[in-house]
Amino acid sequence: MSQRKRSKGLGCSQLPDGEDDFIPTQVERRSQEQVNQKVSELVQFLLVKDQKKIPIKRADILKNIIREYRDVYSEIIKRADRTLQEVFGLQLVEIDVKRHMYILINNLPCAEGEHLCGGKEKEKMGLLLVILSFIFMKGNSVKDSALWEFLHQLRVYPGKQHSVFGDVRKLVTEEFVRQKYLETTAIPLTDPPEFKFQWGPRAENETSKKDVLNFVAKMQGKDPKFWASQYSEANKATT
């Protein structure tokens, strides 16, 4: 997608309030070779953790990689982020400032209308793009019952095993939610319990409402301005 939403990288990231105890009072001097090794280890760690698209915890980075090098934490993070961008076209983005959780997002420009990713996950990401489009066009929030009905119309049945997507309900409510592409919120005082779907932080970072609207317009053969409200919102989001 060409109008990818840009996020501020972590080039100048510092440890947040409450984690000062990770920094020794006497900053130790590290050789460039030592720092380079830690940067390499961190890049590999982030790439492996990101394979399942599950958010990466700062605590895991500190425990598994940084360890006794916490005095140069910011330098290691900054250089790892730069390597990810320059070599892999990925960007480290903090999506939860309270729990200090990160994701890697694709920072490479894509052709208009492409899915969020390629390869063997392309089909799943195609379904995800359709779901994100439906949520946006319906006002950024939809009930689960409305989403299931919509998928039913596409001959994708949540209660049946799909030849490509497998267990569709599990894919949507567990995998996409765990990966932070979607978020669910319980609707109060509903019996049986109902909940609503919204875009998650990974979706917000990896695509844009303008891209999604252009995708919908292309699929329906209409000008994006046909949907005045969505067109206005999409263009505000990119300015």
Side-chain angles (χ1 to χ4, degrees), residues 43-62:
V43 168
Q44 293 179 47
F45 176 79
L46 293 172
L47 290 172
V48 170
K49 295 288 284 186
D50 185 62
Q51 286 180 1
K52 293 186 177 181
K53 297 293 182 182
I54 298 174
I56 305 157
K57 298 178 182 177
R58 183 195 295 268
D60 289 340
I61 295 175
L62 290 167

Side-chain angles (χ1 to χ4, degrees), residues 60-75:
D60 289 340
I61 295 175
L62 290 167
K63 177 182 178 181
N64 295 294
I65 302 299
I66 303 298
R67 295 194 289 270
E68 72 276 15
Y69 283 71
R70 288 168 175 167
D71 55 301
V72 285
Y73 173 87
S74 295
E75 177 66 16

Side-chain angles (χ1 to χ4, degrees), residues 24-181:
T25 53
Q26 182 67 36
V27 177
E28 300 174 15
R29 300 180 68 87
R30 307 287 186 181
S31 71
Q32 281 302 308
E33 185 176 348
Q34 289 174 314
V35 174
N36 289 342
Q37 179 61 33
K38 280 296 172 184
V39 170
S40 177
E41 290 177 10
L42 179 55
V43 168
Q44 293 179 47
F45 176 79
L46 293 172
L47 290 172
V48 170
K49 295 288 284 186
D50 185 62
Q51 286 180 1
K52 293 186 177 181
K53 297 293 182 182
I54 298 174
I56 305 157
K57 298 178 182 177
R58 183 195 295 268
D60 289 340
I61 295 175
L62 290 167
K63 177 182 178 181
N64 295 294
I65 302 299
I66 303 298
R67 295 194 289 270
E68 72 276 15
Y69 283 71
R70 288 168 175 167
D71 55 301
V72 285
Y73 173 87
S74 295
E75 177 66 16
I76 293 171
I77 286 286
K78 179 176 67 176
R79 289 175 56 180
D81 185 41
R82 186 166 63 240
T83 298
L84 286 165
Q85 292 192 51
E86 294 177 351
V87 178
F88 300 97
L90 298 170
Q91 185 175 14
L92 188 63
V93 174
E94 186 171 28
I95 61 169
D96 189 329
V97 296
K98 291 184 178 180
R99 294 186 292 173
H100 310 303
M101 299 176 72
Y102 302 86
I103 60 172
L104 293 181
I105 65 170
N106 190 337
N107 213 25
L108 294 173
C110 296
E112 190 71 40
E114 276 193 4
H115 298 321
L116 298 176
C117 75
K120 62 183 179 180
E121 291 293 300
K122 185 174 181 178
E123 292 86 357
K124 288 184 179 180
M125 293 298 102
L127 177 64
L128 174 63
L129 180 57
V130 170
I131 293 173
L132 292 175
S133 301
F134 179 67
I135 293 173
F136 172 57
M137 300 303 288
K138 291 295 183 180
N140 299 307
S141 177
V142 297
K143 288 184 177 181
D144 56 330
S145 56
L147 179 58
W148 304 139
E149 177 60 28
F150 170 69
L151 293 179
H152 191 277
Q153 295 173 9
L154 299 178
R155 299 184 182 277
V156 177
Y157 308 107
K160 295 182 179 180
Q161 195 77 5
H162 191 277
S163 60
V164 175
F165 308 124
D167 187 329
V168 177
R169 189 182 298 273
K170 185 176 181 180
L171 172 65
V172 175
T173 62
E174 295 183 23
E175 187 171 331
F176 287 161
V177 171
R178 185 176 66 249
Q179 295 171 347
K180 301 296 183 181
Y181 282 119

